[in-house]
Amino acid sequence: VRFAEATWTEFSFAHMRNQALDLATREWILWIDADELVNIAQHSVLQNLVNVPAGCGALMVTVAGLQPSMYEGDETKYFAVPQPRLIRNNTAFRFEGHCHEQVMWSIQRAGYTTQVSTLVITHTGYVVDCDTMIRKMTRNVSLLVKQVNEGDSDDLFFSSLLHRDLGNLLALKGK
């Protein structure tokens, strides 16, 4: 584990993640957020990275957690989504997008494949009070508007996320 301090010179999650990638010195990089947990009992997955074929650029990890409803009367839902969270240290692998940033596109462009891992990351960032969630969604919408206006990445992907997040933000605000 290595810690580094950085200043937000450009408010972009991809920019900050790419700065972290530039500091990595090991063959594999596990990226997690401050509101995520990895159970120490899963350490054998990390120990077995030496057995991953050279052509594999990332391992798909299950990111799971609870997502409270944004609509009155709906129940809290459990989610589990595969994401490339264990990535090989390769200068061609870069995150793209100011918000909901993606590394998979660069892995695929570089000609690498992915494999499925049994590792599970627990995400706790959605279990927050309404005001905190409104601040997060407002930040996300602002970053997605910037991304879509720049038009230099996957426009359809980021546009659809913008519409989803804007809808969720309006629901949170009761509009």
Side-chain angles (χ1 to χ4, degrees):
V1 176
R2 188 170 178 197
F3 295 94
E5 187 175 335
T7 303
W8 284 87
T9 57
E10 173 189 335
F11 198 69
S12 163
F13 286 101
H15 177 77
M16 297 308 292
R17 291 201 195 286
N18 289 333
Q19 282 189 349
L21 291 181
D22 292 340
L23 297 172
T25 59
R26 303 293 180 155
E27 183 179 1
W28 286 94
I29 301 163
L30 170 65
W31 64 274
I32 62 173
D33 291 335
D35 57 4
E36 295 176 331
L37 309 164
V38 177
N39 187 322
I40 193 69
Q42 300 180 91
H43 71 278
S44 63
V45 173
L46 302 177
Q47 290 173 324
N48 289 325
L49 290 173
V50 296
N51 299 322
V52 176
C56 178
L59 294 178
M60 301 301 286
V61 169
T62 299
V63 179
L66 295 177
Q67 183 156 12
S69 173
M70 294 184 210
Y71 302 96
E72 192 171 326
D74 281 356
E75 296 180 12
T76 295
K77 294 180 176 66
Y78 174 81
F79 69 90
V81 294
Q83 293 184 350
R85 292 297 194 95
L86 270 167
I87 61 175
R88 197 175 290 278
N89 192 351
N90 184 316
T91 57
F93 299 169
R94 308 305 284 174
F95 285 91
E96 299 171 42
H98 299 307
C99 181
H100 302 300
E101 61 284 0
Q102 303 294 309
V103 70
M104 181 62 91
W105 300 326
S106 65
I107 293 169
Q108 291 172 332
R109 279 194 305 269
Y112 284 80
T113 63
T114 62
Q115 291 186 350
V116 176
S117 169
T118 58
L119 189 68
V120 176
I121 294 174
T122 303
H123 183 80
T124 64
Y126 298 133
V127 185
V128 295
D129 63 86
C130 187
D131 289 339
T132 300
M133 187 55 80
I134 287 173
R135 284 192 302 275
K136 283 183 169 190
M137 296 304 293
T138 300
R139 174 205 63 205
N140 290 357
V141 166
S142 174
L143 290 171
L144 287 166
V145 165
K146 178 181 176 186
Q147 184 71 45
V148 169
N149 286 339
E150 289 174 359
D152 60 357
S153 286
D154 190 317
D155 290 339
L156 181 59
F157 176 79
F158 289 111
S159 292
S160 65
L161 290 174
L162 172 59
H163 285 92
R164 181 201 67 187
D165 285 4
L166 183 56
N168 288 339
L169 177 60
L170 293 173
L172 279 169
K173 290 182 171 184
K175 297 182 180 182

